[in-house]
């Protein structure tokens, strides 16, 4: 791994952390959730980016990043005795395909319908992968809590 790649990863982590933090402030999330949720968002995006660097299929990388964000968000919510949606919502912010959705609208506005449809489908695949990652992460977290060795409900 080269130094340039490590530095780029640190920049990705920092920028996704700051972006998530800004969104937490904008959405009036509880102040005590700001830093943990931003760290989870940064970790989810960093994992997504790292998977892309090793040539993992992009929808799969988004799914795995969302899965990590979901599991960590659920865990953090339980530890801090807060509602999980605060952490889970904020952790997904860096993964949202905003640029893809913007490009879709731009192409459609320029009457480039084929390019707009392609960009829209790509963005919607990313959105579906985020939703699946959230759902599977929530399911796995609840499954782990129900395991007898964890002392959860039976």
């Amino acid at each position: 791994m080269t130094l340039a790649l490590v530095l780029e990863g640190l920049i990705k982590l920092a920028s996704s952390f700051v972006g998530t933090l800004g969104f937490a402030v904008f959405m009036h999330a509880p102040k005590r959730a700001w830093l943990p949720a931003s760290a989870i968002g940064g970790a989810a995006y960093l994992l997504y980016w790292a998977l892309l660097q090793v040539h993992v299929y992009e929808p799969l990388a988004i799914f795995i990043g969302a899965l990590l964000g979901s599991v960590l968000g659920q865990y953090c919510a339980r530890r801090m005795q807060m509602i999980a949606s605060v952490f889970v919502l904020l952790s997904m912010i860096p993964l949202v395909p905003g640029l893809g959705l913007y490009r879709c609208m731009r192409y459609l506005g320029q009457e480039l319908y084929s390019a707009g449809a392609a960009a829209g489908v790509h963005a919607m695949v990313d959105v579906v992968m985020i939703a699946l990652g959230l759902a599977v992460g929530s399911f796995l977290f609840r499954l782990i809590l129900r395991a007898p060795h964890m002392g959860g409900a039976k």
Side-chain angles (χ1 to χ4, degrees):
M1 185 180 302
T2 67
L3 180 60
L5 199 57
V6 171
L7 288 175
E8 186 178 354
L10 290 174
I11 290 169
K12 301 283 185 188
L13 177 64
S15 61
S16 58
F17 179 92
V18 170
T20 305
L21 180 62
F23 197 80
V25 172
F26 177 71
M27 294 303 295
H28 301 287
K31 287 184 182 181
R32 65 188 185 114
W34 289 1
L35 295 179
S38 298
I40 294 168
Y45 187 81
L46 183 64
L47 178 59
Y48 158 73
W49 176 81
L51 290 170
L52 290 179
Q53 299 311 299
V54 294
H55 307 291
V56 171
Y57 184 53
E58 185 178 7
L60 179 60
I62 286 181
F63 170 79
I64 294 170
L67 178 74
L68 176 70
S70 178
V71 169
L72 292 178
Q74 297 279 341
Y75 175 77
C76 198
R78 185 161 296 252
R79 281 290 280 184
M80 296 181 71
Q81 298 180 345
M82 295 178 69
I83 188 166
S85 59
V86 170
F87 296 98
V88 173
L89 169 72
L90 291 173
S91 70
M92 294 303 113
I93 295 305
L95 298 174
V96 172
L99 180 60
L101 294 169
Y102 168 80
R103 286 181 177 155
C104 171
M105 293 297 111
R106 187 184 74 195
Y107 291 144
L108 293 175
Q110 294 173 340
E111 298 181 5
L112 299 171
Y113 301 118
S114 180
V121 167
H122 182 77
M124 289 300 110
V125 167
D126 291 348
V127 168
V128 168
M129 289 295 105
I130 291 171
L132 285 174
L134 290 175
V136 171
S138 179
F139 172 75
L140 290 176
F141 187 80
R142 291 169 196 243
L143 191 66
I144 291 168
L145 284 183
R146 291 181 186 227
H149 67 279
M150 294 294 287
K154 297 183 184 204

